[in-house]
Amino acid sequence: MAARRQAFAKLLDEFRRTAVLVPLGDGPGPDEERGLLTADFNGIRFILAFSDEQALARYARARGAYAREWTYQSILGARLLDVAVPAAGVPCGVALDCADGPDGMVFPPVRGIVPDEVALDGDDGTPRDVA
C-alpha cells in the first residue's frame, strides 16, 4: 500500500508540473466565452485534460467527433487542480487521457490532490455529501 501511495504521489507531482491540453467545451453562443470541457460522473464534474494532441485525437475518435475542430488551451496541471477545480463551484476533479482506458489517470477531488476547502473528504477523512 505504501508503494502505491508513493507511486501516485510521484504521478501527481509530475502532473502538477506539466502543461496539459484542455479542450474548450461548446459555449451557449458564438460570442460567449466557452468553458473548459468537462464530464459529470456520479455527481462529480471532471475537467478533461490530455497529455498531447494524439491523446486528444483518440478521445475525439472515441466520441465520434474526429472531424470536429478542437480548440484547446495549454494549462499547467497545478493550475487546473488549484484554480480551475475550486472555480467549478461543484465537486470537481481532473481526468487525464480519459480515452486511454487504464493508461489514463483520474485526480479525484480529495485532500492532497485539490485544495482542502473543495475536497470531498473532510478533515477527519470521512466523505462529504456530494449532493
Side-chain angles (χ1 to χ4, degrees):
M1 183 68 100
R4 282 185 156 173
R5 285 185 182 170
Q6 188 176 15
F8 182 79
K10 186 176 178 179
L11 286 171
L12 176 61
D13 185 53
E14 184 177 339
F15 175 75
R16 292 182 66 77
R17 292 182 286 121
T18 302
V20 294
L21 307 181
V22 182
L24 301 179
D26 293 329
D31 297 326
E32 297 183 37
E33 184 177 338
R34 298 188 304 171
L36 304 178
L37 185 64
T38 62
D40 290 351
F41 183 72
N42 287 339
I44 299 173
R45 179 160 299 155
F46 287 92
I47 298 168
L48 304 184
F50 301 91
S51 56
D52 54 32
E53 288 181 339
Q54 292 79 19
L56 176 55
R58 288 189 298 275
Y59 172 79
R61 188 175 303 118
R63 301 288 296 168
Y66 193 73
R68 171 186 156 188
E69 181 179 333
W70 290 82
T71 304
Y72 59 84
Q73 294 181 352
S74 179
I75 304 175
L76 198 61
R79 188 159 178 83
L80 282 176
L81 295 172
D82 298 342
V83 178
V85 164
V90 297
C92 185
V94 176
L96 178 67
D97 297 340
C98 60
D100 292 347
D103 291 331
M105 178 57 93
V106 175
F107 299 99
V110 296
R111 292 168 46 98
I113 296 177
V114 301
D116 289 352
E117 62 271 13
V118 296
L120 289 181
D121 53 338
D123 293 336
D124 61 357
T126 58
R128 293 183 183 158
D129 190 14
V130 174

